[in-house]
Amino acid sequence: MTNKTTSSIKSAKTIALYHADSDYTAALIQQFKKRLPQHNVQAWAPDMAADYLVSWKPEPKIFTTRDVKVIFALGAGVDAFLAADLPEGVPLVRLEEAGMGAQMLEMALYGILHYARDMIVLNNGRRNKQWLGRSTPKRAPFSTQIGVMGMGQLGRYVAEHLAQLGYPVSGYSRTRKDLPSVTCYDDSDFDAFLAQSEVLINLLPLTQHTQDLVDAKLFAKLPQGAYFINLARGKHVIEEDLLAALNSGQLSGALLDVFRVEPLPAEHPFWNDECIVMTPHLAAITLQPDAVEQIGDNILAFEAGQPMHGVVDFSRGY
Ligand code: NDP
């Protein structure tokens, strides 16, 4: 073995990949090997040392890995990682958009159309074999007032694309944005934002400030008969309050992709509520090629002493 080869083996940085599904991990290893051929890419194993730890879920055992310099989450939301016992002083980096924006947009549109085209009423009619014809449209196409909570990588993508379709769109975030096509709000006028959100889309991160935010008080501030779309986290929502708002007619319906307990327990009342469209936490899944590309760029940036994208701010909680 030449000196050059010996030294390149010695200096090769190790990437440890963890996913509960070994086929998923095997596919990921192949993609990382192509993206970073100079790196030593391995499935995570107990007692190993690695420079970079890449994981979908924050399994406690993986944080025993020695010498880790950066932890990469294979998702956009990092609330579960932040609740775990992470090694002190190691940056945590999440995925930014990475092909999830278009998936979120499509899911949001599904809910908006369900509301705007009266599918709840029509589905009820169908069940009773009623032909609920109408001589005039209920509303002009693309006129439903949309409110997006969270104007980050995904919320902003959804808001701006809905605005491009012609919807009047408002966006709410911690720091007020300035966007040509979206009317932007922050905490100082949150009630005004809610008052005109016929369809409210949640794309906030789960933090100590946003947990339980969506409750009876919030629903009461929406227009009567509004529609709620939750694409973020179940713990944003007080589920009993959501059911009460549906029962009272304050909400006409909801599309829920996420729940306080997942999988949703068999006895949960959401299963039987016909005003709720449910999907099992798949609004936007991690796309391996996009994820590998982004994490690969970040690893190379880190090694070149450049800033990485998507570094989580531990003090903000997202
Ligand atoms: P970002 O971190 O890019 O954006 C977060 C946005 O929320 C920012 O605009 C931020 O404001 C705003 N925000 C944070 N805290 C508050 C607060 N207290 N009050 C008001 N606004 C606040 O997140 P992403 O867009 O990448 O992702 C959003 C969430 O989507 C993820 O955290 C995850 O929970 C969820 N998700 C769900 C998936 C699914 O399949 N269902 C898949 C992927 C993600 P500011 O701009 O001022 O910082």
Side-chain angles (χ1 to χ4, degrees):
M1 199 179 278
T2 65
N3 280 348
K4 197 174 163 205
T5 316
T6 317
S7 72
S8 72
I9 286 174
K10 268 193 191 145
S11 63
K13 305 279 189 211
T14 301
I15 305 174
L17 305 178
Y18 179 80
H19 194 285
D21 177 344
S22 55
D23 290 343
Y24 188 99
T25 309
L28 205 54
I29 288 174
Q30 291 316 313
Q31 297 200 38
F32 267 105
K33 281 186 170 167
K34 267 196 220 138
R35 178 70 182 81
L36 297 171
Q38 310 298 330
H39 287 66
N40 172 22
V41 187
Q42 292 181 21
W44 178 86
D47 302 324
M48 77 182 292
D51 299 279
Y52 311 110
L53 188 57
V54 179
S55 180
W56 165 237
K57 289 226 160 126
E59 292 292 340
K61 63 184 180 190
I62 63 174
F63 301 124
T64 59
T65 312
R66 284 172 287 112
D67 304 334
V68 173
K69 294 174 188 64
V70 187
I71 299 172
F72 292 97
L74 277 169
V78 286
D79 43 287
F81 277 86
L82 294 177
D85 197 9
L86 297 178
E88 193 97 349
V90 178
L92 171 65
V93 181
R94 70 188 189 94
L95 292 180
E96 285 192 328
E97 202 276 312
M100 285 182 260
Q103 299 178 66
M104 286 296 188
L105 173 65
E106 202 174 49
M107 197 59 115
L109 264 175
Y110 186 89
I112 292 166
L113 296 177
H114 197 78
Y115 166 80
R117 299 311 302 245
D118 258 347
M119 290 312 293
I120 297 169
V121 174
L122 296 178
N123 282 341
N124 276 335
R126 180 184 167 158
R127 231 166 274 119
N128 300 320
K129 302 202 167 95
Q130 280 178 301
W131 186 261
L132 298 175
R134 209 192 265 282
S135 53
T136 53
K138 186 178 173 188
R139 57 164 60 78
F142 306 108
S143 65
T144 302
Q145 293 265 358
I146 313 292
V148 181
M149 293 200 293
M151 289 295 286
Q153 294 291 326
L154 301 177
R156 182 171 167 171
Y157 185 103
V158 168
E160 289 187 319
H161 282 81
L162 291 175
Q164 265 175 33
L165 287 172
Y167 288 106
V169 183
S170 302
Y172 162 73
S173 50
R174 195 176 52 82
T175 53
R176 187 188 295 264
K177 307 296 175 227
D178 182 13
L179 302 174
S181 60
V182 178
T183 312
C184 294
Y185 294 79
D186 61 18
D187 251 342
S188 65
D189 45 12
F190 187 43
D191 287 1
F193 162 83
L194 293 173
Q196 38 97 66
S197 296
E198 282 181 87
V199 172
L200 181 70
I201 302 172
N202 179 29
L203 274 167
L204 287 167
L206 182 66
T207 68
Q208 54 167 329
H209 300 293
T210 62
Q211 178 159 340
D212 301 335
L213 178 75
V214 183
D215 62 0
K217 278 191 289 190
L218 181 148
F219 290 132
K221 290 173 185 165
L222 296 172
Q224 168 91 37
Y227 194 85
F228 176 57
I229 300 179
N230 193 10
L231 305 178
R233 287 291 182 264
K235 285 185 180 160
H236 286 129
V237 181
I238 305 289
E239 293 181 338
E240 297 77 16
D241 291 2
L242 172 58
L243 284 167
L246 289 168
N247 285 336
S248 72
Q250 176 57 21
L251 283 184
S252 60
L255 184 156
L256 307 175
D257 182 57
V258 285
F259 306 88
R260 289 191 88 96
V261 178
E262 295 176 1
L264 190 68
E267 64 280 8
H268 199 288
F270 283 173
W271 288 110
N272 299 320
D273 196 314
E274 288 172 356
C275 297
I276 302 177
V277 174
M278 290 198 291
T279 49
H281 200 148
L282 45 62
I285 59 166
T286 295
L287 304 175
Q288 280 197 1
D290 299 64
V292 170
E293 190 62 25
Q294 198 171 106
I295 294 170
D297 284 351
N298 269 331
I299 287 176
L300 294 178
F302 178 77
E303 290 173 358
Q306 301 294 321
M308 294 183 286
H309 294 281
V311 178
V312 175
D313 180 334
F314 289 101
S315 63
R316 282 189 327 194
Y318 66 98

